[in-house]
Amino acid sequence: MKATAIATFFGVFLTCTYTAKEATKKPKKPKLYVPQIDCDVKAGKIINPEFIAKCPPGCQDVKYRVYGTDIYASFSSVCNAAIHSGIIDNTGGKILVQKVAGHSAYRGSFSNGVRSLSLPRWRESFLVSEGKPRKGVTYPSTLEYSSSKSTAVKSEPKKPEQDPKGMKSADTSNTSEKASEQGDAIRKEYQTSPVPTPATQMATTTPTPMTTTTDPSTTVPQPTTTPATTRTTAAAAKTRPGLHRVREMGSSSVHPAYASVVAAASRQVQAAQGRGQNTAFRGTSTSTSNRNIVRHNTGIQRQEPVATFQRAAGSPAHLAMETDSWKHGLSLFDTGFSSKEELNPKPLESISQGNQNCKVDLSFLMDGSWSIGKRRFQLQKRFLGNVAQALGIGSAGPLMGIIQYGDDPSTEFNLKTYANSKDIRNAIEKIQQKGGLSNVGKALSFVNKNFFLDANGNRGGAPNVVVVVVDGWPTDQVEEASRLARESGINIFFVTVEAAAQNEKQNVIEPNFVDKAVCRTNGFYSINVPSWFSLHKVVQPLVKRVCDTDRLVCSKTCLNSADIGFVIDGSSSVGTSNFRTVLQFVANISKEFEISDTDTRVGAVQYTYEQRLEFSFDKYSTKEDVLSAIKRISYWSGGTSTGAAISYASEQLFSKSKPNKRKIMILITDGRSYDDVSVPAMEAHRNGVIAYSIGVAWAAPDELEAIATDPHKEHSFFVDEFDNLYRYVNQLIQNICTEFNSQPRN
């Protein structure tokens, strides 16, 4: 009996132990099925905003083009971009792709055996990283393409995709008939979706089976987008006043526990701002006016005149550390910059028309570094207030915003925050000094990417101008950031105060930094002031220069400063269907330019034995009207007299070009000319016409080279059939922009 009881006890004990172990076991994560993509798949063709995919071997090939470095244009091959970034090699592998916003410039480079190309701008970008799922994100087991075809895990071979800039006409009879009826309307090649939060992804129902990398019992999903950041920087590395910046957090992507803490923090910040203090959550930082701060990497102190003013006590080395709240779930593409407007938005109080003879969009980069000191920072604020008053700020005149830079830049207010000079002067008075180094290059990059946006009040038709105020010299490189800003059409002015003395010049990181940064090196874009106490003397000269819109040459970019004349072969060998493909090619090139009567203008000539002016440069002043006019061009049919067509275009189009426009001729032909092309082409070149020749099928290579501007390898192209014309849309635009940007700046 006793033995039976003991056996029963042990049996129960073992059963309970086994049950407890089973209960504590974590449920197995479902296996993530990864779809495979081909080497030629471009990110823009895939609708999913974030996905994991597997690349096959052999994608390291020049025919799979890549545009950009680190951040790639969606026009790029996904797999070859992953090789370029070093995520995978030519043997293939899994990658994680995240879609992000488009950029105004993509820099080409050579990395990991892949040469990526530069691109002036594109409407969508993507990032590639190691193919590991992020916690809380649901990834699709099939990818959705813009052609409405889904690719399964084991996909069938598919036809090569087409570039989004230049699409071929459909081959099927139904599509051809439909395209003919609608006038071969330009198709939208892909759609862009914002990156969803995990909450919205898990709520989506779809018949396609989905897998998730999270535990089903998890109750707090990690946000996909960055709600805010937490940065703690050692005071020895960065000397900045302690200031909390709390970014706005969408309720759909933030857990209530986070939201309550952030809300409390925000109230503290606003309360501190209301008292006019620069206050951290713990303690109060003390600013300094010490002009003798040792610049990092210089090893010397800049002495100020003793009679100027008495320096306040204190050193930035003892200031509190800056901590931004909540770095939980930081996104790969978070910039780390913050804007004071997010903490305390200021509505427009009164609107002025302003000085209508000075319609510019202005951004002032004010120096908030420790080298400037308190007194000089106040003098700088007074200077900016006087400039705002002299400009005559208003909705029909100049608009003005301010970015303060130190270690990092931050927006004080943007173009649409204030609409009159009085409000701007009052706002300037309330600006508190940031401190830190003088990182001008980082500030210029920030302006280029984040300031001149429609959401910030950028008007498009007004020139973009940046005025950089620098105490002494920058503590970082400015040349590359300035070049990208100029290529985006931003006019950069420098106001340098108390330049480096002779014994300090060896400590300047980038000698002649002003000449490397400005649009022209003729002195128009730079003003040197010997002392902060004479800064008021340059208010009127600076205002006069920034308002002289005729001399703001950086407002002219490769996309808004040309007269482009298309010379189109309409001979019998082309045929009706191929002629429509040529018109599609012409339209796809045209739509990449900024078209208006003051920007790029477009004209067209069609030729056979004879010539016909389809429309002149001054006929249409909007992109929509130009594209409609291209679609309406009717096929002529006849012989091929290309030489006569070049002469006709020179007389009827380019002789009526505006003096400040670049004259660009793009000639498309499919055969050898019945007449001589070299003499008319040389005459056009002498008259300043930049000629690009595109030959199809039976076009003669020697004639294409004779027509093209030197070097002909960069101005002459050949394709074996009309359906491949689309391949050269991007290359043609890139060459036009490269040539424009290589012009001397003196």
Side-chain angles (χ1 to χ4, degrees):
M1 187 72 180
K2 187 175 181 181
T4 304
I6 292 173
T8 303
F9 171 76
F10 276 107
V12 172
F13 174 76
L14 292 173
T15 302
C16 292
T17 303
Y18 176 79
T19 305
K21 286 183 178 179
E22 288 297 314
T24 56
K25 277 186 179 178
K26 292 183 179 179
K28 292 183 178 179
K29 294 181 180 180
K31 185 178 180 181
L32 176 65
Y33 292 97
V34 179
Q36 181 165 326
I37 58 176
D38 293 336
C39 296
D40 62 349
V41 170
K42 301 174 180 63
K45 296 291 289 181
I46 299 174
I47 294 176
N48 307 77
E50 181 172 339
F51 58 89
I52 294 177
K54 185 175 182 180
C55 291
C59 291
Q60 186 176 333
D61 195 306
V62 291
K63 66 183 178 182
Y64 306 126
R65 294 195 174 184
V66 178
Y67 299 87
T69 301
D70 297 329
I71 298 178
Y72 302 97
S74 63
F75 189 41
S76 306
S77 160
V78 174
C79 293
N80 210 10
I83 296 173
H84 179 269
S85 64
I87 303 302
I88 60 174
D89 55 26
N90 200 34
T91 60
K94 290 194 298 183
I95 59 171
L96 171 62
V97 178
Q98 292 174 295
K99 300 282 192 72
V100 294
H103 278 237
S104 58
Y106 297 86
R107 179 176 57 86
S109 65
F110 184 81
S111 178
N112 299 304
V114 177
R115 167 69 68 183
S116 70
L117 304 174
S118 298
L119 190 67
R121 65 176 181 179
W122 193 245
R123 56 181 70 92
E124 185 185 48
S125 311
F126 69 96
L127 302 167
V128 285
S129 56
E130 191 176 354
K132 293 182 178 179
R134 297 196 300 137
K135 189 176 180 182
V137 180
T138 302
Y139 293 98
S141 57
T142 62
L143 298 179
E144 188 177 356
Y145 286 77
S146 58
S147 59
S148 301
K149 293 180 180 179
S150 295
T151 300
V153 178
K154 295 182 179 180
S155 58
E156 296 179 358
K158 50 190 177 57
K159 296 179 181 178
E161 294 179 60
Q162 300 167 353
D163 291 349
K165 280 191 177 182
M167 297 309 301
K168 297 183 282 184
S169 302
D171 292 327
T172 61
S173 58
N174 290 340
T175 339
S176 299
E177 291 173 7
K178 185 175 180 180
S180 178
E181 292 171 3
Q182 297 178 353
D184 286 333
I186 297 170
R187 293 178 290 164
K188 185 174 182 181
E189 288 310 312
Y190 63 88
Q191 66 187 76
T192 305
S193 304
V195 177
T197 62
T200 58
Q201 280 192 339
M202 288 186 286
T204 304
T205 59
T206 173
T208 306
M210 305 290 284
T211 58
T212 179
T213 61
T214 57
D215 190 327
S217 62
T218 302
T219 57
V220 184
Q222 301 297 328
T224 299
T225 56
T226 308
T229 65
T230 305
R231 289 203 313 267
T232 304
T233 308
K238 290 188 178 182
T239 55
R240 293 183 283 182
L243 174 63
H244 278 271
R245 296 187 180 91
V246 183
R247 292 181 177 82
E248 293 178 335
M249 301 167 66
S251 58
S252 63
S253 62
V254 183
H255 190 266
Y258 298 163
S260 61
V261 175
V262 174
S266 181
R267 287 194 294 272
Q268 280 189 275
V269 174
Q270 291 176 350
Q273 287 180 335
R275 294 191 298 271
Q277 299 172 343
N278 186 11
T279 310
F281 289 156
R282 291 186 179 182
T284 305
S285 64
T286 305
S287 183
T288 178
S289 61
N290 192 352
R291 173 71 174 174
N292 298 338
I293 299 303
V294 178
R295 288 181 182 263
H296 288 230
N297 301 322
T298 64
I300 69 167
Q301 294 177 329
R302 300 196 68 201
Q303 302 293 331
E304 67 176 1
V306 177
T308 303
F309 62 89
Q310 185 175 359
R311 293 183 283 107
S315 169
H318 302 322
L319 293 173
M321 295 180 295
E322 176 181 290
T323 303
D324 286 353
S325 180
W326 299 113
K327 194 172 182 177
H328 200 66
L330 180 63
S331 170
L332 287 171
F333 45 87
D334 187 88
T335 62
F337 300 125
S338 60
S339 170
K340 292 184 179 179
E341 296 159 2
E342 296 175 1
L343 298 175
N344 190 19
K346 306 173 181 65
L348 295 176
E349 295 179 4
S350 56
I351 297 177
S352 165
Q353 290 297 306
N355 178 11
Q356 298 182 30
N357 294 321
C358 181
K359 188 176 180 180
V360 294
D361 289 345
L362 275 160
S363 172
F364 279 83
L365 298 187
M366 67 183 303
D367 191 340
S369 64
W370 291 127
S371 70
I372 192 174
K374 267 190 174 181
R375 177 73 180 277
R376 290 174 174 80
F377 189 74
Q378 293 299 320
L379 291 173
Q380 181 180 208
K381 287 165 59 174
R382 186 184 307 167
F383 166 71
L384 294 177
N386 291 339
V387 170
Q389 186 66 39
L391 281 168
I393 303 298
S395 58
L399 294 179
M400 177 175 166
I402 288 182
I403 291 172
Q404 183 182 172
Y405 68 90
D407 288 329
D408 293 323
S410 63
T411 305
E412 300 293 343
F413 53 85
N414 63 30
L415 297 169
K416 69 178 183 180
T417 310
Y418 302 107
N420 62 69
S421 299
K422 181 181 178 182
D423 289 346
I424 287 182
R425 297 189 72 175
N426 291 336
I428 292 172
E429 282 301 313
K430 298 175 184 177
I431 295 176
Q432 300 295 316
Q433 187 176 3
K434 283 170 57 70
L437 302 175
S438 299
N439 289 335
V440 175
K442 186 180 285 189
L444 285 169
S445 295
F446 177 76
V447 170
N448 188 26
K449 296 175 182 177
N450 301 285
F451 188 82
F452 291 108
L453 306 175
D454 294 344
N456 292 337
N458 186 51
R459 291 174 288 185
N464 294 156
V465 177
V466 170
V467 179
V468 186
V469 183
V470 185
D471 173 53
W473 63 87
T475 53
D476 65 348
Q477 301 278 342
V478 303
E479 184 174 11
E480 179 67 10
S482 301
R483 181 185 65 81
L484 293 174
R486 292 196 308 269
E487 290 179 0
S488 298
I490 298 174
N491 296 273
I492 303 173
F493 286 81
F494 265 78
V495 177
T496 53
V497 187
E498 299 183 13
Q502 192 64 37
N503 64 336
E504 296 174 323
K505 288 184 177 179
Q506 70 272 16
N507 301 297
V508 178
I509 292 177
E510 194 172 25
N512 302 320
F513 65 90
V514 173
D515 284 347
K516 294 177 180 178
V518 296
C519 297
R520 290 287 184 270
T521 57
N522 55 9
F524 179 77
Y525 288 90
S526 57
I527 299 175
N528 179 253
V529 185
S531 166
W532 282 97
F533 299 95
S534 57
L535 192 58
H536 64 280
K537 297 179 181 180
V538 303
V539 171
Q540 289 300 332
L542 178 63
V543 169
K544 184 178 179 181
R545 294 187 192 190
V546 299
C547 291
D548 190 355
T549 55
D550 290 337
R551 296 186 66 181
L552 298 181
V553 293
C554 274
S555 298
K556 296 302 178 185
T557 70
C558 59
L559 300 175
N560 68 8
S561 58
D563 280 345
I564 301 177
F566 290 94
V567 181
I568 305 167
D569 185 348
S571 62
S572 303
S573 58
V574 174
T576 304
S577 177
N578 288 332
F579 187 77
R580 305 308 302 176
T581 303
V582 171
L583 294 184
Q584 184 71 52
F585 173 72
V586 170
N588 285 335
I589 293 172
S590 300
K591 69 182 180 183
E592 291 303 318
F593 289 86
E594 299 169 18
I595 296 174
S596 76
D597 53 359
T598 57
D599 294 317
T600 289
R601 304 185 303 170
V602 176
V605 167
Q606 184 184 175
Y607 73 93
T608 58
Y609 284 123
E610 301 177 286
Q611 306 83 36
R612 183 168 72 195
L613 180 64
E614 300 292 352
F615 54 91
S616 58
F617 291 138
D618 57 1
K619 181 70 172 178
Y620 302 109
S621 59
T622 69
K623 185 178 296 186
E624 292 75 15
D625 288 345
V626 167
L627 295 178
S628 296
I630 292 170
K631 287 193 295 184
R632 291 195 302 268
I633 295 176
S634 59
Y635 177 47
W636 204 355
S637 186
T640 308
S641 295
T642 306
I646 295 172
S647 298
Y648 181 84
S650 297
E651 296 169 4
Q652 298 298 319
L653 280 178
F654 296 108
S655 66
K656 300 172 184 178
S657 235
K658 290 184 177 180
N660 61 340
K661 299 289 185 182
R662 296 169 71 236
K663 295 181 281 190
I664 297 175
M665 178 175 71
I666 300 175
L667 185 144
I668 308 108
T669 182
D670 81 326
R672 181 173 289 277
S673 176
Y674 294 162
D675 59 357
D676 176 65
V677 300
S678 57
V679 173
M682 289 174 60
E683 184 65 25
H685 299 163
R686 279 196 293 268
N687 290 328
V689 176
I690 302 169
Y692 289 86
S693 59
I694 296 100
V696 188
W698 302 280
D702 59 320
E703 289 187 347
L704 296 176
E705 293 178 5
I707 295 168
T709 298
D710 287 331
H712 61 76
K713 289 184 178 180
E714 296 176 7
H715 296 83
S716 178
F717 307 94
F718 179 84
V719 293
D720 54 356
E721 58 183 44
F722 285 92
D723 284 347
N724 288 329
L725 276 172
Y726 75 95
R727 296 181 184 275
Y728 286 98
V729 172
N730 179 68
Q731 185 65 54
L732 188 60
I733 293 169
Q734 182 180 330
N735 287 10
I736 290 172
C737 287
T738 299
E739 187 171 48
F740 177 87
N741 295 329
S742 65
Q743 295 178 108
R745 295 192 297 115
N746 50 23

